[in-house]
């Protein structure tokens, strides 16, 4: 993603659908795959145009239909957003983020055990 690194929450929902697909999707396909969304076709089409302007997606025309695919790399986006959250909310400390997650009760025993195994604790 070259132009604007920031996408909105609504745009992120559309990106999730595109990231999960192994092929370019038309607007209706995206609408059909959006979970818990009441957005209509026009709203999704507008979001896609905005995202294309930001350099997050590209469109390919086939006949009269545009097909969209992500340009923005999911892993890089997640990594950048995680760094941003750590910097803003946890004074740059990943340890503070981990402690916060642990103390909040959001992590299951299984997740804690998986983390222990990752760090060989």
């Amino acid at each position: 993603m070259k132009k604007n690194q920031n996408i909105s929450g609504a745009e992120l929902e559309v990106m999730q659908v595109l990231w999960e697909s192994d092929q370019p999707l038309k607007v209706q396909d995206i609408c059909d795959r959006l979970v818990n969304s009441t957005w209509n076709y026009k709203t999704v089409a507008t979001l896609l145009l905005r995202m294309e302007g930001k350099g997050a997606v590209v469109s390919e025309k086939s006949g009269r239909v545009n097909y969209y695919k992500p340009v923005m790399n999911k892993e890089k986006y997640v990594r950048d957003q995680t760094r941003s959250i750590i910097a803003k909310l946890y004074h740059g400390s990943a340890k503070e983020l981990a402690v916060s997650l642990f103390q909040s009760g959001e992590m299951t025993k299984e997740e804690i055990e998986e983390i222990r195994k990752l760090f060989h604790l």
Side-chain angles (χ1 to χ4, degrees), residues 47-100:
L47 286 170
L48 286 162
L49 286 174
R50 194 181 324 157
M51 293 164 64
E52 191 168 21
K54 292 179 178 183
V57 302
V58 293
S59 64
E60 301 169 350
K61 197 164 194 114
S62 178
R64 297 178 57 181
V65 179
N66 281 328
Y67 288 83
Y68 293 88
K69 65 180 180 180
V71 175
M72 183 171 54
N73 178 277
K74 180 180 181 179
E75 290 75 21
K76 182 181 180 328
Y77 177 78
V78 169
R79 189 173 49 249
D80 291 347
Q81 291 302 304
T82 302
R83 284 185 187 130
S84 176
I85 289 169
I86 290 169
K88 289 177 188 174
L89 299 178
Y90 299 99
H91 311 289
S93 171
K95 181 187 94 178
E96 283 188 36
L97 168 63
V99 169
S100 175

Side-chain angles (χ1 to χ4, degrees), residues 2-115:
K2 299 171 185 97
K3 296 180 184 177
N4 185 342
Q5 295 284 329
N6 296 318
I7 59 173
S8 71
E11 292 167 344
L12 180 57
E13 288 184 49
V14 172
M15 284 303 300
Q16 295 281 13
V17 169
L18 291 170
W19 282 327
E20 291 169 5
S21 176
D22 58 351
Q23 60 190 8
L25 299 173
K26 57 187 177 181
V27 176
Q28 190 59 56
D29 294 334
I30 295 168
C31 291
D32 293 344
R33 295 178 188 197
L34 283 167
V35 179
N36 300 324
S37 175
T38 57
W39 296 338
N40 63 29
Y41 183 97
K42 188 174 180 178
T43 302
V44 174
T46 300
L47 286 170
L48 286 162
L49 286 174
R50 194 181 324 157
M51 293 164 64
E52 191 168 21
K54 292 179 178 183
V57 302
V58 293
S59 64
E60 301 169 350
K61 197 164 194 114
S62 178
R64 297 178 57 181
V65 179
N66 281 328
Y67 288 83
Y68 293 88
K69 65 180 180 180
V71 175
M72 183 171 54
N73 178 277
K74 180 180 181 179
E75 290 75 21
K76 182 181 180 328
Y77 177 78
V78 169
R79 189 173 49 249
D80 291 347
Q81 291 302 304
T82 302
R83 284 185 187 130
S84 176
I85 289 169
I86 290 169
K88 289 177 188 174
L89 299 178
Y90 299 99
H91 311 289
S93 171
K95 181 187 94 178
E96 283 188 36
L97 168 63
V99 169
S100 175
L101 287 171
F102 181 76
Q103 290 177 341
S104 71
E106 294 293 321
M107 295 176 68
T108 65
K109 288 180 182 182
E110 292 80 15
E111 290 171 327
I112 293 168
E113 188 57 36
E114 284 181 46
I115 291 170

